[in-house]
Amino acid sequence: MEIIEDVVIVGAGIAGLTTSLGLHRLGIRSLVLESSERLRLTGFALNTWTNAWKALDAVGIAESLRHQHRLITSLLVPSTSLVKPASEISFQGHEIRCLERRLLLETLAKELPVGTIRFSSKVVSIDESAGYFKQLHLADGTIIKTKVLVGCDGVNSVVAKWLGFKNPSFTGRSSIRGNANFKGGHGFGTTFRQFFGNGVRAGLVPWDDENVYWFFTWTPATKEEEKEDDPIKLKQFIRNKLNDKSDEMRSVVEKTSSHDIILSPIRYRKPWELLWGNISKGNVCVAGDALHPMTPDIGQGGCSALEDGIVLARCLGEALLKPASKAEEENERIETGLKRFAIERRWRSFDLIATAFMVGYIQQKDGKVVNFLKDKFLLGFLSRLRLRMAEFDCGKLFD
């Protein structure tokens, strides 16, 4: 079976669905190919900062999500001993909420026309034998020709590989994430808490009255420690790492169901690869984790994917909404639009990846001198740096 489309987006994650919805708002149809049988909802929640809410406003779904998630008002910055917060940083003037990943993806998907997302559609190869079209071969034998191909297919992106990007690198760190449900209320208010020390970075943030999202990152000392995925053993491991120094973190981990905890290695794209890599090539580009996988230390992975979707939809809208007398003219406009997207996102992506890596390195680094500097200067500075990164405005769908 052969299908012809104007725009094909590979991957129904945050970047892919935001791009598709942005195009839909502009009156442009797209087809989203998702290799899974349904939306992939792993990850529980994500911190969404001011820049993310600007993107959600641009695509028209922010208000419904705001009503279901608490506004986070401050960040408790701890001392390196994990005993008590050294200072509290106010988020006044910023919009930060912990957003349920499932609800975000389902809200994006529900706003799309029926049939936009094609599930169980794994892309196995891409070729250029169809003139101005790219030709996609799916695992089920289907062939799809498209004027525009957008890769939002995550860290193992087929499209990024086609563009010449290397696989993301392992940082040597791992992350355990979970969601704890407190029936009747958790009592953590509207504060984002973080904890550091003993080579560990951990934190918890409430996203509604009963649910608390938490994370725990460290550098595994052994292969066994790196690969362990038994939830009971993971919880015991966290208790041992924290010792008895953080009752709040321990209580949240203890309250977490074995079904609501996951372990994953932390990967990132080396930022200099973006300086000479092909973010776009002809009528093909990448966005989201396919473009800029980063460490989770400034909470900008999902936020930047939302930014990508708005910028990409705007750039493609300018190319596709103008009538073209010839296929060649339309193709030139598409290439120009994708080049503009690449220019807009290259340095922003570089900045985010480099900053996240640096913040994570400093926060998990141990030693008497380093800990002294962190307590006196660095933790407050890094928290303010995180807020600065969140001030970015991706703009509207219409210029």
Side-chain angles (χ1 to χ4, degrees):
M1 181 172 67
E2 184 174 283
I3 301 170
I4 299 177
E5 296 285 344
D6 286 342
V7 181
V8 170
I9 300 167
V10 183
I14 295 173
L17 293 181
T18 304
T19 302
S20 182
L21 182 54
L23 291 171
H24 173 61
R25 299 290 195 228
L26 294 171
I28 299 169
R29 170 184 157 74
S30 63
L31 175 66
V32 180
L33 303 179
E34 172 53 49
S35 60
S36 301
E37 296 178 355
R38 59 186 67 85
L39 292 175
R40 286 179 285 181
L41 306 176
T42 56
F44 310 116
L46 65 153
N47 286 329
T48 45
W49 300 76
T50 307
N51 55 315
W53 289 99
K54 289 177 180 177
L56 291 168
D57 276 324
V59 85
I61 63 170
E63 279 308 306
S64 64
L65 294 172
R66 283 188 177 102
H67 293 315
Q68 300 175 72
H69 298 86
R70 286 187 172 190
L71 181 67
I72 304 302
T73 56
S74 63
L75 169 69
L76 289 180
V77 182
S79 67
T80 54
S81 64
L82 298 178
V83 175
K84 60 181 180 179
S87 62
E88 184 171 1
I89 294 178
S90 171
F91 286 158
Q92 185 175 1
H94 299 271
E95 183 173 10
I96 296 99
R97 302 173 196 269
C98 186
L99 183 56
E100 185 185 7
R101 184 179 293 270
R102 176 191 61 81
L103 189 59
L104 172 60
L105 292 177
E106 288 180 352
T107 302
L108 287 165
K110 286 176 183 176
E111 292 290 314
L112 293 170
V114 175
T116 297
I117 306 174
R118 190 180 193 268
F119 292 104
S120 301
S121 300
K122 181 178 177 60
V123 176
V124 294
S125 66
I126 305 166
D127 71 53
E128 301 181 84
S129 61
Y132 294 122
F133 290 84
K134 288 294 178 291
Q135 191 163 268
L136 308 180
H137 297 265
L138 306 190
D140 63 4
T142 301
I143 296 174
I144 300 177
K145 292 181 178 179
T146 180
K147 295 178 183 177
V148 182
L149 174 60
V150 179
C152 298
D153 43 341
V155 294
N156 298 311
S157 171
V158 173
V159 181
K161 185 177 180 180
W162 185 88
L163 286 170
F165 280 112
K166 299 177 182 177
N167 290 330
S169 301
F170 289 93
T171 62
R173 298 165 58 204
S174 290
S175 171
I176 304 173
R177 292 168 290 160
N179 182 75
N181 180 261
F182 293 78
K183 287 183 169 51
H186 47 65
F188 289 113
T190 58
T191 299
F192 178 7
R193 291 162 170 80
Q194 287 198 97
F195 312 95
F196 307 104
N198 302 330
V200 163
R201 172 182 174 267
L204 61 91
V205 56
W207 52 267
D208 64 12
D209 293 339
E210 296 188 337
N211 289 281
V212 177
Y213 170 69
W214 60 267
F215 59 86
F216 178 95
T217 67
W218 85 107
T219 302
T222 65
K223 289 293 183 182
E224 288 73 21
E225 194 176 287
E226 185 176 333
K227 294 179 180 178
E228 181 60 68
D229 60 359
D230 182 334
I232 296 175
K233 291 182 179 180
L234 289 176
K235 291 168 75 171
Q236 181 61 52
F237 171 76
I238 294 173
R239 285 196 296 268
N240 293 340
K241 277 286 189 180
L242 291 174
N243 296 319
D244 295 319
K245 296 179 179 177
S246 172
D247 291 338
E248 291 176 326
M249 190 69 193
R250 287 169 62 85
S251 70
V252 170
V253 173
E254 287 297 329
K255 196 70 175 176
T256 303
S257 162
S258 60
H259 301 293
D260 292 331
I261 182 170
I262 57 173
L263 166 69
S264 55
I266 297 177
R267 292 194 278 175
Y268 79 120
R269 190 175 304 290
K270 293 175 180 176
W272 51 85
E273 292 181 15
L274 295 178
L275 299 184
W276 56 72
N278 292 317
I279 295 175
S280 74
K281 181 180 178 182
N283 57 351
V284 181
C285 76
V286 283
D289 279 347
L291 170 59
H292 46 60
M294 66 188 74
T295 65
D297 304 286
I298 58 173
Q300 281 292 333
C303 301
S304 56
L306 289 165
E307 292 177 7
D308 288 344
I310 301 303
V311 176
L312 181 52
R314 182 171 63 238
C315 291
L316 282 175
E318 293 171 356
L320 295 173
L321 289 175
K322 296 177 182 178
S325 57
K326 297 179 181 179
E328 181 180 5
E329 179 186 350
E330 184 179 49
N331 187 67
E332 287 178 357
R333 287 180 181 170
I334 290 169
E335 289 191 21
T336 300
L338 295 185
K339 284 179 182 177
R340 179 180 172 187
F341 168 77
I343 290 170
E344 286 196 40
R345 299 307 293 168
R346 190 181 304 276
W347 283 105
R348 170 65 171 166
S349 299
F350 178 95
D351 197 11
L352 288 171
I353 294 173
T355 301
F357 187 90
M358 178 196 69
V359 169
Y361 177 82
I362 293 174
Q363 287 179 338
Q364 283 193 208
K365 189 73 173 174
D366 269 332
K368 289 184 178 180
V369 175
V370 173
N371 288 344
F372 173 80
L373 292 173
K374 280 197 285 190
D375 283 345
K376 292 295 182 182
F377 309 107
L378 291 177
L379 291 179
F381 166 75
L382 295 177
S383 297
R384 288 185 287 273
L385 179 62
R386 181 186 286 111
L387 288 174
R388 183 182 67 79
M389 301 303 292
E391 292 174 352
F392 183 86
D393 189 348
C394 64
K396 309 295 184 184
L397 285 172
F398 301 90
D399 273 336

